[in-house]
Amino acid sequence: MSVPPDSLPGMRSTARTPPVDDRSGSEFRTTLTGGRPTLSPSRAMDFKQCPLKYRLRAIDRIAETPSLQAVRGTLVHAVLEDLFGLPAAERLPERADTLAASAWSRVRGERPEVVESLTDQRLEVFLDEARALVRRYYRLEDPTRFDPESCEARVEVELDDGVPLLGIIDRIDVAATGALRVVDYKTGRAPGPTRETQALFQLKFYALMVLRTRGRVPAQLRLIYLADAQILTYTPQEQELLRFERTLSALWAAIEEAGRSGDFQPNSTRLCSYCDYQPLCPEFGGTPPPYPGWPTGDPTARSTAATRLQ
Ligand code: SF4
């Protein structure tokens, strides 16, 4: 693993290739999941960390209060997506500064409860923080010098044994040689050795999706940490991704088994301090709602069961 920023050979062309994602009938082989739960990197990590947390999020769909930090992350991703939607020559820092306001007008609609909590003064600080993160991005890459193949591509794929994977890949770059790079932006700081494994879990997940949709192993996985302007890169190997695929299959089998039995045990760790579900968790004296059962059909049929934590 290497930390300094680097580039794939040939990743310098600004010749534009059409965006590729599963929403535009592209080469991504999509699998509509018809309301069934899917396995994303976040949900996989949830189940590994605490099966009850997975259940409350993915099956009961009990809404959590989004943190300001999470909303800022959504905003920064939206700005970077908009930035790459501009002609390469226009992707300058001054132009990026102007994108925060328009991106915010989209993001704010998705998070009205957060907007309500922001005073005008706090909103300006919030937008400035997002702009500062985007400015830091320029220390790591020059977006005027290449065109990504896709940004924020929603990818769904079903593995051969039926595991339904879902991911939103921040960016996919393709070098002149055809080499693929999978990129993920993080608005936090680069992790230490312990959390690095967790970060790589997400990238391996995406690399496997690329392998299964395109039949090619990405040449590079790149995590861009904006808070401290660090890049973490990783070169995946096919055998490693195949082993990872078996790990995901085993994890999904465990999720389905818990889904059938309704037995989603709490797993108390230090991460409980950040868990919104404490009031519903036996580890904290709470009681989970009755298990609604494994969703199989139209997700809207279950929406009346969804509740919000007070
Ligand atoms: S508080 Fe801890 S044990 Fe309880 S659901 Fe949340 S993460 Fe799991």
Side-chain angles (χ1 to χ4, degrees), residues 50-57 60 62 262-266 277-292 305 307 309:
C50 172
L52 178 59
K53 183 175 172 182
Y54 170 89
R55 186 205 122 175
L56 296 172
R57 264 189 181 156
D60 297 67
I62 297 176
D263 184 14
F264 290 87
Q265 289 294 313
Y277 298 127
Q278 283 185 12
L280 301 175
C281 177
E283 295 288 326
F284 290 83
T287 306
Y291 180 52
T307 52
L309 284 171

Side-chain angles (χ1 to χ4, degrees), residues 208-230:
L208 177 63
M209 296 186 90
V210 169
L211 173 63
R212 287 304 177 214
T213 50
R214 303 180 180 218
R216 277 191 291 156
V217 175
Q220 190 184 88
L221 310 180
R222 170 176 282 201
L223 276 161
I224 297 181
Y225 290 92
L226 297 172
D228 53 358
Q230 295 281 330

Side-chain angles (χ1 to χ4, degrees), residues 37 47 54-55 59 249-264 291-296:
F47 190 82
Y54 170 89
R55 186 205 122 175
I59 301 178
S249 293
L251 184 67
W252 185 247
I255 291 173
E256 285 194 313
E257 178 53 36
R260 273 189 290 274
S261 65
D263 184 14
F264 290 87
Y291 180 52
W294 185 250
T296 51

